[in-house]
Amino acid sequence: MFGRRACVAWASLTLAWSSTVLPAQDRRAAPNPSAVARVRAQYVKRELYIPMRDGTKLFTTIFTPRDTGARVPILLMRTPYGIAPYGADAYPVQLGPFPELDSEGWIFVNQDVRGRYMSEGHYSFMTPHRGPQRASGVVDESTDTYDTIEWILKNVSHHNGRVGTWGNSAPGFFVAAGMLDAHPALKLAYPSAPMIDWWMGDDRHMNGLFKLSQTYNFMKNFDQPRTGPLTSYPAGPDAGTTDGYAWHLGVGAMSKYGPGPLQGRVAFWDSITVHPDYDAFWQSRALWKHVKNVSPAVLLVGGWYDVEDPYGMLRLNKSLREQSAGTRQMFVVGPWSHGGWNRADFPTFGAFSNGGPTGAFFRDSIGKPTFRCLLKDDCRGGSFGGALVFEAGTNRWRKFDAWPPKSAQTRALYLRENGRAEFRAPAVAGNAAADQYVSDPAKPVPYTMGNTFGFNAMYPTEDQRFASRRPDVLVYRSDVLTEDVTVAGPVSALLHVASTGTDADFVVKIIDQYPDNAAPEFDGGPRLDSYERLVRPGVARARWRRGYDRSVPLSAGVADTMRVPLDDVFHTFRKGHRIVVHVQSTWYPAVDRNPQRFVPNIYKATDADFQRATMTVFRSTARPSHLMLPILTP
């Protein structure tokens, strides 16, 4: 690992810190005249168009160091969010992924991807990858990356022949796509929080359930139409309120959004609503299926508390291990919200300490040393590879050969009688061994305590007592733990259920309940008495219990079985705490509401289709509902 002394120091750091966490969207720093002057003094900016193999020209800015005494690497960032500021004499406050990396005098290239801002062509959301056997003239993001690198190598001087690509979120998707069938000069790809599959996870869906508040807030602005190249897009419709919960309930069924508040102007919203299942439209955009024989080294980074793209980092990591075993890879996950590791310090997140400024640690000990090592051979005795993962609860970094740890042993945590959660299987038979609640789509369980219109970036560790006190949420608690329990890897729930309706959603949350007398974790932090800290939520829709590619209704009143994926966790439930499980059927407006009456295309449901339904969760010997937890022994 880069900087062994730094890692040792951080592993034992227990100081309390406080900070302000970045908002959900990864934003550049506000313009600062002195920072802009620094970049201008060091770099020459050029704006130009680079032709692709099909003749489409992509708008590109190239920043070359004024000091041309050394040959330096090239860093390329391709984005749909615009490469402002536009204008030959307009300079940004920073170049590259990390603060101060641009002070090293490298060559920085930024590009508007095809069909966005100043670039020609048509923009495709999650452009399908065509593969190495694509016909002549057929393009995708891999070919656009290749052609851009080829042009730069031939037309920009004083480079050392090595290229690194970087990007977070949507730009992370373009990094991941560009490392497939890569140009030989591409030596390092840094996809952080990359979008990988917009139906299984990331921004638009969670296991097929539509991420309503996030998608609406994003698409109403991002997907405004354009008639040609431009430097800014018109603003989307203004809801005029910060109360997203009430506003979305007021709109009603999903079928009302397109012709209603979106005014028929958001084309991709309409595309989503005609592809409710995991069909060819979505599967062709599942980039993880193509991650094979990747030649560049890959630094893959994400955050445990990322509310936008938590899925992409995990699925890409899995694909690299399974489909591209020869790729040099390092996987890093920290206690961060979306993109914050690049610029914020994150000594805390919400009410909890992280043990120190974890973002600065990543940038100084992992990020910048990786770029220097793989693009300049300035390795200074460090190593690259494996998985460096932050363990919440104990607030320490752990190093593994790969993630998830192979030594984790799966144990079942059963939902038991009287609201108990135990590692012992139930001993009660018959249908009477069950719990029930009434789910009413007209009064859905909110996903957050916060009053927000978009998506609350702080919800991943919120106190869940606001939900556990509702009658439509089942709560199961373990006894007070007599020893630490570390969960490390993918978590899922197997639920035996029934509904009086013909469709249903099930939301499962795993929660860390603190002791009754828990003190603050950092100076100025809140007391944590009986705090129910969200560790990981998961959602599943009953219509896809037989497969994601087809919708199958429930038989009303008939017991059935479904799996609820919660994705990966690395959290230690400390001695004296409890493990808590919530089961509910609405989580609004994080995901759309299920009418609870089967409609073949759920997006075409009307207000009249919504109905109350009684949900049953079985916990008998024959139908033992439980969570599967990968437990890491000390």
Side-chain angles (χ1 to χ4, degrees):
M1 182 52 54
F2 299 107
R4 182 176 180 276
R5 284 194 305 171
C7 286
V8 171
W10 276 77
S12 60
L13 229 153
T14 57
L15 295 176
W17 298 75
S18 63
S19 74
T20 300
V21 179
L22 280 182
Q25 294 292 338
D26 178 24
R27 297 184 175 95
R28 295 278 186 183
N32 179 291
S34 62
V36 171
R38 179 188 62 82
V39 175
R40 179 182 285 109
Q42 190 171 1
Y43 289 93
V44 175
K45 178 183 179 181
R46 286 192 292 160
E47 294 185 332
L48 48 85
Y49 280 93
I50 295 180
M52 300 295 104
R53 64 188 63 183
D54 66 343
T56 301
K57 298 180 179 65
L58 304 188
F59 187 79
T60 308
T61 58
I62 302 175
F63 296 86
T64 54
R66 296 183 186 276
D67 181 355
T68 58
R71 295 190 174 274
V72 295
I74 299 165
L75 286 191
L76 169 64
M77 188 271 294
R78 308 182 64 242
T79 178
Y81 296 139
I83 54 174
Y86 294 95
D89 195 47
Y91 282 73
V93 297
Q94 177 188 314
L95 298 171
F98 313 123
E100 291 85 42
L101 187 62
D102 53 19
S103 65
E104 303 194 10
W106 296 5
I107 297 168
F108 293 89
V109 181
N110 301 329
Q111 184 176 79
D112 288 334
V113 298
R114 92 174 35 224
R116 290 292 294 174
Y117 285 87
M118 292 293 289
S119 284
E120 299 176 352
H122 172 72
Y123 180 70
S124 176
F125 285 91
M126 300 286 286
T127 312
H129 183 67
R130 304 304 182 186
Q133 305 305 317
R134 65 177 66 81
S136 177
V138 173
V139 297
D140 55 22
E141 303 307 336
S142 172
T143 63
D144 282 357
T145 304
Y146 192 107
D147 294 349
T148 298
I149 292 174
E150 182 73 4
W151 190 95
I152 295 167
L153 292 174
K154 292 179 178 178
N155 294 277
V156 178
S157 60
H158 303 294
H159 61 75
N160 68 357
R162 298 187 190 184
V163 179
T165 52
W166 67 278
N168 178 74
S169 191
F173 161 79
F174 292 100
V175 173
M179 71 190 194
L180 309 180
D181 315 320
H183 193 288
L186 180 55
K187 302 301 182 183
L188 172 64
Y190 172 41
S192 68
M195 303 184 319
I196 290 298
D197 188 323
W198 257 10
W199 197 92
M200 290 303 302
D202 294 324
D203 307 88
R204 304 288 75 88
H205 297 85
M206 290 181 69
N207 304 313
L209 279 76
F210 184 66
K211 294 174 80 169
L212 176 58
S213 59
Q214 185 174 346
T215 299
Y216 179 84
N217 205 46
F218 176 78
M219 284 292 174
K220 72 182 179 69
N221 293 308
F222 182 87
D223 201 23
Q224 292 293 313
R226 74 167 195 170
T227 57
L230 45 73
T231 58
S232 64
Y233 282 78
D238 183 5
T241 180
T242 59
D243 190 347
Y245 182 93
W247 186 88
H248 284 286
L249 276 178
V251 173
M254 284 284 294
S255 57
K256 292 184 173 182
Y257 279 82
L262 292 175
Q263 306 166 11
R265 291 172 56 84
V266 181
F268 197 75
W269 183 282
D270 298 332
S271 297
I272 291 173
T273 61
V274 295
H275 296 283
D277 301 328
Y278 195 45
D279 59 12
F281 177 83
W282 294 112
Q283 293 186 39
S284 69
R285 288 165 167 77
L287 190 66
W288 58 267
K289 296 181 179 182
H290 304 283
V291 181
K292 302 174 183 178
N293 303 317
V294 174
S295 56
V298 179
L299 175 60
L300 175 58
V301 180
W304 286 130
Y305 309 137
D306 186 346
V307 300
E308 297 187 44
D309 297 295
Y311 178 83
M313 64 169 182
L314 297 169
R315 194 60 187 85
L316 181 54
N317 172 62
K318 189 172 189 289
S319 293
L320 283 167
R321 289 189 295 105
E322 294 176 347
Q323 300 171 188
S324 191
T327 301
R328 294 184 65 193
Q329 180 204 1
M330 187 171 186
F331 184 49
V332 182
V333 189
W336 307 314
S337 62
H338 189 61
W341 49 88
N342 282 336
R343 295 178 180 86
D345 284 348
F346 281 95
T348 66
F349 188 88
F352 302 98
S353 171
N354 291 331
T358 54
F361 163 66
F362 163 72
R363 294 189 296 274
D364 294 340
S365 297
I366 311 298
K368 288 182 280 189
T370 294
F371 276 78
R372 294 186 188 110
C373 181
L374 297 181
L375 298 178
K376 290 183 62 179
D377 290 330
D378 179 11
C379 297
R380 303 185 186 182
S383 62
F384 175 85
L388 182 69
V389 188
F390 187 84
E391 179 183 326
T394 58
N395 300 332
R396 59 176 177 166
W397 291 96
R398 301 281 298 275
K399 184 72 162 57
F400 301 99
D401 292 337
W403 180 265
K406 297 177 182 178
S407 57
Q409 300 294 315
T410 301
R411 293 183 63 189
L413 180 70
Y414 294 94
L415 310 185
R416 297 288 301 268
E417 63 279 2
N418 301 317
R420 296 172 62 83
E422 298 184 5
F423 286 106
R424 294 186 300 113
V428 180
N431 288 339
D435 297 306
Q436 291 185 329
Y437 59 95
V438 175
S439 174
D440 185 356
K443 297 180 180 179
V445 181
Y447 80 94
T448 177
M449 294 181 291
N451 186 38
T452 175
F453 189 84
F455 211 42
N456 183 8
M458 302 306 298
Y459 95 79
T461 60
E462 270 191 321
D463 189 343
Q464 297 299 301
R465 282 178 289 188
F466 78 93
S468 64
R469 293 165 178 164
R470 288 181 55 120
D472 50 357
V473 177
L474 298 179
V475 181
Y476 302 89
R477 303 180 195 276
S478 73
D479 289 335
V480 174
L481 299 176
T482 57
E483 59 182 15
D484 289 357
V485 175
T486 299
V487 180
V491 173
S492 64
L494 186 67
L495 297 183
H496 300 275
V497 297
S499 173
T500 57
T502 51
D503 198 5
D505 294 344
F506 288 93
V507 180
V508 177
K509 294 183 280 189
I510 185 169
I511 293 161
D512 183 349
Q513 183 178 6
Y514 277 57
D516 295 340
N517 59 345
E521 288 196 356
F522 56 89
D523 291 342
R527 288 196 61 86
L528 301 173
D529 303 319
S530 302
Y531 193 108
E532 293 185 11
R533 176 182 182 176
L534 181 62
V535 174
R536 183 72 72 233
V539 297
R541 184 155 280 171
R543 64 173 54 218
W544 294 310
R545 69 197 181 282
R546 303 288 186 262
Y548 288 125
D549 59 343
R550 58 196 177 103
S551 294
V552 179
L554 286 169
S555 297
V558 176
D560 214 319
T561 302
M562 58 187 298
R563 189 178 76 89
V564 182
L566 279 74
D567 291 330
D568 291 35
V569 168
F570 195 21
H571 186 96
T572 292
F573 297 82
R574 302 302 300 268
K575 177 182 177 180
H577 293 218
R578 297 176 189 262
I579 302 175
V580 179
V581 179
H582 286 188
V583 180
Q584 58 198 65
S585 287
T586 50
W587 197 48
Y588 193 73
V591 297
D592 62 319
R593 295 174 298 152
N594 193 317
Q596 301 182 159
R597 175 187 287 125
F598 182 81
V599 178
N601 182 343
I602 197 168
Y603 296 130
K604 303 304 180 183
T606 66
D607 288 342
D609 291 313
F610 286 78
Q611 64 180 17
R612 290 160 54 101
T614 298
M615 307 297 179
T616 301
V617 177
F618 297 97
R619 46 174 174 73
S620 66
T621 53
R623 299 190 180 104
S625 295
H626 60 278
L627 272 67
M628 302 302 295
L629 303 180
I631 305 296
L632 195 63
T633 56

